[in-house]
């Protein structure tokens, strides 16, 4: 599962981008998975079949949509993974 906390009182919508790559070029490499989290929200996703990250795993958060968006959120975003 993926647990994303975007709960700061002055937060804005954020995009969490996950890459099956150990060193993607942010802004150029397309994410393999992208989650959108509303402002002042905590969301948890359960991925029943799981996701394979055979090339390594990386993530970034951005306050803009799209693979070329790299602007960091204005507030802290916590991302937790449950991996087996």
């Amino acid at each position: 599962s993926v647990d994303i906390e975007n709960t700061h009182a002055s937060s804005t919508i954020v995009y969490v981008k996950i890459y099956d790559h150990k060193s993607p070029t942010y802004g150029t490499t397309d994410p393999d998975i992208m989650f959108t989290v509303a402002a002042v929200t905590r969301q948890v996703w359960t991925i029943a079949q799981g996701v394979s990250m055979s090339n390594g795993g990386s993530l970034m958060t951005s306050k803009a949509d799209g693979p070329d968006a790299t602007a960091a959120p204005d507030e802290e975003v916590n991302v937790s993974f449950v991996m087996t």
Side-chain angles (χ1 to χ4, degrees):
S1 65
V2 180
D3 182 342
I4 303 171
E5 290 185 60
N6 185 32
T7 55
H8 191 277
S10 62
S11 67
T12 59
I13 190 170
V14 296
Y15 302 88
V16 177
K17 302 168 186 184
I18 301 174
Y19 303 84
D20 182 15
H21 195 290
K22 64 182 175 183
S23 56
T25 302
Y26 300 121
T28 303
T29 306
D30 288 337
D32 293 282
I33 303 168
M34 187 168 69
F35 297 102
T36 304
V37 183
V40 195
T41 302
R42 176 181 178 206
Q43 291 183 287
V44 178
W45 285 271
T46 300
I47 304 168
Q49 300 300 316
V51 175
S52 174
M53 293 286 172
S54 57
N55 296 311
S58 299
L59 72 91
M60 73 166 292
T61 58
S62 175
K63 62 181 178 181
D65 191 5
D68 59 342
T70 59
D74 296 328
E75 302 296 339
E76 181 178 288
V77 177
N78 295 313
V79 180
S80 301
F81 295 95
V82 174
M83 303 163 85
T84 58

